[in-house]
């Protein structure tokens, strides 16, 4: 029997190992979801997720794909997730955010599994049936890191972010399997190639309908398969457009275009350099959180963050320069394009100039960084193990031990009761007060349209421009002048953060004195002559 000296532990029965790995993942996922339901999922009400639910509720009520009935504005960036959210509304009514959050956490566990599979198979360089214990340990570490709340991903549970990442990662996982099967001459079985093309095309189409960002993944995956098959992936391309075309046709007929209004509202918020710098700062913060998960004192976390970055760089080197049959093999090209993908994703948003404070724009980067961290740690440990070949089992043991702190961190984090920030709590209080006193037909001006729109049902004039085109509001740094908004839209009520604006008095608004008793941060102003008063 030939002994594999590079992976001495691979003599263990790999199918049995993978089976137990999946059982362990399922048990962990169920535990994770139960803890999420007891804590965060029941209480989390996130602004952007509630915008989607408002659209979903109007769909269920027969008012159409609109935020405000009668106003056909595409104010969401996720048509598929909006349709999925109609199920939550139909089943749970006002409790729909709970189901929406829980579905997001479920998608996060699937995301962890996919990252684990990719980390295992890319670092092993083997087919799934040949994965060994070392590869599975690497995957377990990567998956455990994804589950942790290092990058505010628990806050995004109600959004489409986790579903989008699941679809994109699954498309890449199938791409790597297909490219590997096509080597060395690109002569895969035509039926296998057909089935792979259709599956990947459908998944990429669904990912595009979840977020248009998936167009970039579709382009890179298409190039990978073109090179592997030595022919254009026409079936994949056709399948992709069959999936997305009905929506594109509907959006053009219904909204007058398929580009969402938030794209224009958030364009040009930051310069290119400023955006990239803020993204780097955010990633450093997530690396510091990882150091905290391993018990590092606060004073050590910043220097450890740079060590984490170096380990990720080792993962890039391990994948990009791993052993292969040639320098430009299809599989190696697919790996390089996969490594390039998150960088291009960030670059696109940097060019758009979105606010990097909205970190879900580039959340996709983070799970891939954790994948690279696990692979980089494996590469470093294997290099050190070569010095002591009799201790070849040690890297596997170290990685398995290193998986424990992130898992504990994730389970503790998801079990911790969610507490909204003071501003969000006040918005909920304000929304309840308004809902008790004003009709749904009364219009309200404020940029916090998610909480106010979902909980009140009032007609919203959106100063941020997400559902009221032509307006923009960048956290008070830059915005459409209030006087222009009042003149054009004449809202019945204005909910103003901070001090009173003299323009309100000039435009015929009066302060609602009864409101002052329930809010310290906001002032409410009513248009004179409004027939419904509190």
């Amino acid at each position: 029997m030939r002994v594999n000296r590079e992976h001495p532990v691979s003599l263990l029965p790999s199918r049995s190992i993978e089976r137990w790995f999946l059982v362990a993942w399922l048990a962990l996922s169920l535990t994770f979801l139960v803890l999420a339901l007891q804590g965060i999922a029941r209480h989390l009400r996130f602004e952007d997720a509630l915008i989607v639910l408002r659209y979903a509720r109007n769909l269920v009520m027969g008012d159409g794909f609109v935020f405000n009935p009668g106003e056909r504005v595409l104010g969401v960036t996720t048509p598929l997730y909006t349709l999925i959210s109609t199920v939550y509304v139909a089943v749970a009514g006002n409790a729909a955010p709970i189901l929406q959050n829980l579905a997001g956490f479920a998608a996060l566990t699937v995301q962890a599994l996919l990252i684990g599979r990719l980390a295992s198979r890319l670092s092993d360089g083997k087919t799934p049936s040949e994965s060994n214990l070392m590869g599975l340990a690497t995957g377990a570490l990567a998956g455990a890191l994804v589950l942790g709340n290092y990058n505010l991903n628990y806050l995004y549970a109600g959004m489409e972010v986790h579903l989008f990442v699941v679809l994109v990662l699954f498309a890449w996982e199938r791409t790597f399997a297909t490219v590997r099967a096509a080597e060395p001459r690109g002569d895969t079985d035509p039926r296998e190639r057909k089935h792979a093309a259709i599956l990947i095309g459908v998944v990429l189409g669904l990912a595009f309908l979840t977020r248009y960002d998936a167009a970039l993944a579709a382009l890179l995956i298409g190039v990978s398969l073109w090179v592997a098959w030595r022919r254009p992936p026409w079936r994949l391309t056709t399948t992709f457009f069959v999936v997305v075309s009905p929506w594109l046709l509907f959006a053009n007929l219904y909204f007058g275009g398929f580009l969402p209004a938030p794209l224009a509202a958030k364009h040009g918020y930051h310069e290119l350099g400023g955006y990239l710098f803020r993204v780097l700062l955010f990633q450093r913060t997530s690396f510091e959180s990882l150091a905290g998960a391993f018990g590092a004192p606060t004073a050590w976390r910043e220097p450890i963050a740079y060590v984490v970055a170096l380990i990720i760089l080792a993962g890039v080197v391990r994948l990009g320069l791993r052993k292969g049959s040639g320098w430009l093999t299809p599989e190696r090209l697919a790996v390089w394009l996969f490594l390039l993908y998150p960088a291009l994703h960030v670059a696109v948003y940097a060019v758009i100039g979105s606010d990097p404070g909205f970190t879900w724009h580039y959340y996709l980067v983070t799970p891939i960084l954790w994948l690279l961290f696990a692979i980089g740690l494996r590469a470093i440990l294997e290099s050190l193990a070569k010095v002591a070949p009799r201790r070849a089992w040690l890297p596997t043991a170290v990685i398995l031990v290193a998986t424990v702190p992130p898992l504990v961190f994730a389970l503790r984090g998801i079990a911790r009761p969610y507490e909204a920030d003071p501003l969000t709590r006040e918005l909920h209080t304000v929304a309840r007060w308004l809902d008790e006193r004003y009709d749904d037909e009364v219009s309200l001006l404020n940029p916090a349209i998610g909480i106010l729109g979902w909980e009140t049902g009032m007609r919203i004039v959106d100063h941020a421009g997400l559902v009221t085109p032509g307006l923009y509001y960048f956290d008070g740094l830059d915005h459409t002048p209030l006087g222009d908004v009042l003149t054009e839209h004449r809202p019945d009520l204005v909910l103003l953060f901070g001090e009173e604006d003299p323009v309100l008095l000039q435009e015929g608004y009066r302060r609602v004195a009864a409101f002052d008793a329930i809010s310290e941060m906001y002032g409410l102003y009513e248009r004179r002559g409004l027939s419904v008063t509190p």
Side-chain angles (χ1 to χ4, degrees), residues 142-205:
L145 292 172
V146 169
L147 288 177
N149 190 28
Y150 308 99
N151 42 20
L152 304 180
N153 56 339
Y154 292 177
L155 194 61
Y156 309 152
M159 297 179 64
E160 77 284 358
V161 174
H162 296 312
L163 174 62
F164 170 73
V165 175
V166 164
L167 291 169
V168 169
L169 289 177
F170 183 71
W172 275 109
E173 193 269 342
R174 288 293 84 204
T175 298
F176 287 124
T178 303
V179 168
R180 184 168 294 166
E183 289 194 330
R185 298 185 305 277
D187 55 353
T188 51
D189 185 306
R191 288 178 300 177
E192 291 182 7
R193 190 165 60 239
K194 174 184 175 181
H195 294 156
I198 292 174
L199 176 60
I200 296 172
V202 168
V203 172
L204 287 173

Side-chain angles (χ1 to χ4, degrees), residues 13 25 31 42 75 102 238 316 322 347 363 375 384 389 433 445 447 482 487 499:
W25 169 80
T31 303
R42 286 192 304 164
L102 197 60
T238 302
V316 173
R322 64 182 184 164
Y363 167 76
I375 293 175
L384 294 175
W433 191 91
L445 171 65
L482 181 60
T487 300
E499 298 181 1

Side-chain angles (χ1 to χ4, degrees), residues 329-392:
T329 63
E331 185 180 357
R332 176 162 285 175
L333 176 63
V335 169
W336 287 347
L337 291 177
F338 177 71
L339 294 175
L340 184 62
Y341 174 46
L344 290 176
H345 187 91
V346 170
V348 169
Y349 275 106
V351 171
I352 292 173
S354 301
D355 181 4
F358 300 138
T359 52
W360 59 86
H361 291 165
Y362 51 91
Y363 167 76
L364 168 77
V365 175
T366 304
I368 296 178
L369 288 180
W370 295 140
L371 175 149
L372 292 171
F373 175 85
I375 293 175
L377 182 61
R378 170 179 177 168
I380 292 170
L381 291 173
E382 285 184 331
S383 297
L384 294 175
K386 291 178 180 178
V387 179
R390 294 185 179 181
R391 300 288 186 271

Side-chain angles (χ1 to χ4, degrees), residues 91-116:
V91 170
N94 291 336
I98 299 175
L99 292 184
Q100 193 186 48
N101 291 333
L102 197 60
F105 285 122
L108 181 60
T109 66
V110 178
Q111 183 188 134
L113 175 65
L114 288 170
I115 281 290

Side-chain angles (χ1 to χ4, degrees), residues 283-284 286-288 290-291 294 301-314 369-370 372-373:
Q283 294 300 341
R284 189 185 72 178
S286 67
F287 297 163
E288 291 174 359
L290 174 61
F294 279 94
R301 293 180 187 178
E302 184 175 341
I304 291 176
Y306 293 101
V307 175
V308 172
L310 290 175
I311 294 174
I312 290 172
L313 181 60
L369 288 180
W370 295 140
L372 292 171
F373 175 85

